[in-house]
Amino acid sequence: MSTVDIVLAGARGHGRWHLDNIRRLQDKGIVRLAGICELTPLGADEIPDGLGTPEQSADFGALLDSTGARVAVICTPIPTHTDLALTAAARGVHMLLEKPPAPSYAEFRRMADGVAAAGVACQIGFQSLGSHAVPAIREMIAEGAVGDVVGIGGAGAWARPESYYRRAPWAGKRRLNGVDVVDGVLTNPLAHAVATGLALNGSARAEDVTGVELELLRANAIESDDTSCVRVTTAQGRQVTVAATLCAEEPGEPYVLIHGTRGRITFWYKQDRVLLQRADHGPEEYEYGRTDLLENLVDHLTDGDDLLVVPDATGAFMKVVEAIRLAPDPTPLPETAWRLLAEEERRVVPGIDALVAAAADTLALYRELGAGWAPPREAST
């Protein structure tokens, strides 16, 4: 088996995770880190042991040319995704493109169509869709384990300090220098809850979305949203409701909840853990493995394995991103609705944990659940 040369664009921040993952795959002998693209080169102490001295450059195209890399991992600011993906595609370089794939549906289509025209493989970095729990849940549903599926909920109650929004110029922004960013809780940190809920509903493609209702709010002094709710109406005749916050009182594991006429399935997607609860049975809990998306991309190139997350399989998610982009700016929560935890330097919305869980449980939006601070009318498209 030949070793696949890789260039990583964006090696700081979340890119550090990719460096470690590439080292894991390099230790297995299936890849080699040939280059790193960063505006400022990494110091020797920033490159994990065992990765050697990859070539470094701030010019992505030139680096792809000089290294002859076959694969690029693109983990850069959201507004740069499309242009970098097309730079790789023009050179016949396959790619793993981090989520969200683009800040608008037009940019997403420009990327996806350009990649398809170039004939290169593109994997979108929704790691939860590499979980072996996903096909297992689909099989449970197909076998009628919980009866007929009537809707999908999603819940994410996370916490982020105020410094989270100072980590990069684009963090917490809807636009930067006139360019769309759309870095909100539903589109970036808890995007997996949205994409996974849509996928398990069988509505992953753009044409599967027939309507989007939104409640976008913020407790932090940012441009984008940090406490939000979305309800997607789908061509499958079911609704997918996801509630998310970065202002949780007690942060917990995010999950997707499949509602059936005779039971429910809870999927904690970061843990690959599933709880099946159904009529006339005791609860059954399962843990699954996971296929790494970069490894799957390499296996696709070397062995012909099917890609797990092709661009069009994220089209429905991008319809949600587009609705958020076009929606009015998020509503600031009144100061009475949040408090500052000074020791943790983060803002908390009292009662939000229960509201997030209730939204996933009932498929209702915050205002429908009695949250007085929610917008009087949710935006919809």
Side-chain angles (χ1 to χ4, degrees):
M1 181 177 62
S2 60
T3 300
V4 174
D5 281 357
I6 290 179
V7 160
L8 171 62
R12 294 189 173 97
H14 182 58
R16 288 194 294 264
W17 181 91
H18 284 290
L19 276 175
D20 288 334
N21 192 44
I22 291 169
R23 179 184 59 182
R24 179 183 68 84
L25 298 180
Q26 186 163 302
D27 288 345
K28 294 177 69 170
I30 63 175
V31 306
R32 182 182 75 90
L33 182 62
I36 294 173
C37 182
E38 267 290 356
L39 296 178
T40 304
L42 270 63
D45 60 334
E46 295 181 278
I47 301 175
D49 291 340
L51 286 178
T53 54
E55 184 178 341
Q56 298 199 55
S57 172
D59 188 324
F60 183 54
L63 188 61
L64 293 176
D65 291 339
S66 61
T67 60
R70 193 176 177 195
V71 167
V73 175
I74 300 172
C75 183
T76 55
I78 301 164
T80 68
H81 284 184
T82 293
D83 284 343
L84 291 181
L86 295 179
T87 296
R91 289 162 169 79
V93 176
H94 311 282
M95 71 202 75
L96 170 66
L97 179 62
E98 261 300 346
K99 59 80 189 163
S104 70
Y105 191 75
E107 283 290 276
F108 168 71
R109 280 267 50 100
R110 186 165 74 91
M111 179 278 297
D113 294 344
V115 164
V120 297
C122 179
Q123 181 101 281
I124 306 298
F126 282 107
Q127 291 288 345
S128 59
L129 300 182
S131 176
H132 303 165
V134 171
I137 291 170
R138 286 176 173 149
E139 186 174 346
M140 291 177 193
I141 292 171
E143 292 174 348
V146 293
D148 295 328
V149 174
V150 295
I152 307 276
W158 276 4
R160 291 293 183 269
E162 292 176 321
S163 60
Y164 174 77
Y165 300 105
R166 298 192 295 269
R167 75 192 191 281
W170 54 269
K173 293 286 197 300
R174 282 172 67 79
R175 298 167 203 87
L176 182 64
N177 300 324
V179 177
D180 289 318
V181 176
V182 199
D183 178 40
V185 63
L186 292 168
T187 57
N188 195 7
L190 284 157
H192 285 86
V194 179
T196 306
L198 290 166
L200 288 174
N201 189 55
S203 49
R205 301 175 71 87
E207 57 267 30
D208 294 321
V209 174
T210 59
V212 179
E213 299 168 83
L214 292 166
E215 291 180 349
L216 304 177
L217 304 112
R218 59 176 180 84
N220 283 277
I222 58 174
E223 195 176 272
S224 197
D225 56 302
D226 59 35
T227 299
S228 297
C229 200
V230 61
R231 183 162 57 203
V232 183
T233 304
T234 69
Q236 287 71 15
R238 297 183 292 269
Q239 292 179 331
V240 177
T241 299
V242 178
T245 185
L246 298 179
C247 304
E249 296 176 284
E250 298 291 337
E253 284 291 333
Y255 60 89
V256 171
L257 183 58
I258 296 94
H259 296 274
T261 53
R262 290 179 52 79
R264 52 199 254 167
I265 302 168
T266 308
F267 174 31
W268 290 272
Y269 57 80
K270 285 179 66 66
Q271 299 177 320
D272 303 309
R273 185 163 61 92
V274 172
L275 176 64
L276 171 62
Q277 297 167 289
R278 49 183 171 164
D280 304 322
H281 290 76
E284 303 164 55
E285 192 164 340
Y286 306 92
E287 291 188 10
Y288 294 90
R290 176 179 291 214
T291 297
D292 175 71
L293 296 184
L294 179 56
E295 191 165 1
N296 172 243
L297 173 60
V298 172
D299 289 343
H300 170 74
L301 299 177
T302 57
D303 300 329
D305 289 12
D306 290 338
L307 284 178
L308 290 171
V309 195
V310 297
D312 280 347
T314 66
F317 169 78
M318 283 306 308
K319 282 292 189 179
V320 174
V321 173
E322 182 72 355
I324 292 171
R325 184 183 76 88
L326 296 174
D329 286 345
T331 301
L333 287 171
E335 291 190 7
T336 54
W338 61 268
R339 60 190 176 90
L340 177 67
L341 295 184
E343 67 280 7
E344 298 179 34
E345 296 183 334
R346 68 180 183 91
R347 299 187 185 190
V348 166
V349 176
I352 191 61
D353 301 24
L355 277 169
V356 164
D361 202 44
T362 62
L363 308 183
L365 302 176
Y366 292 142
R367 173 153 294 280
E368 295 165 348
L369 293 167
W373 39 252
R377 291 182 58 190
E378 62 271 11
S380 62
T381 61

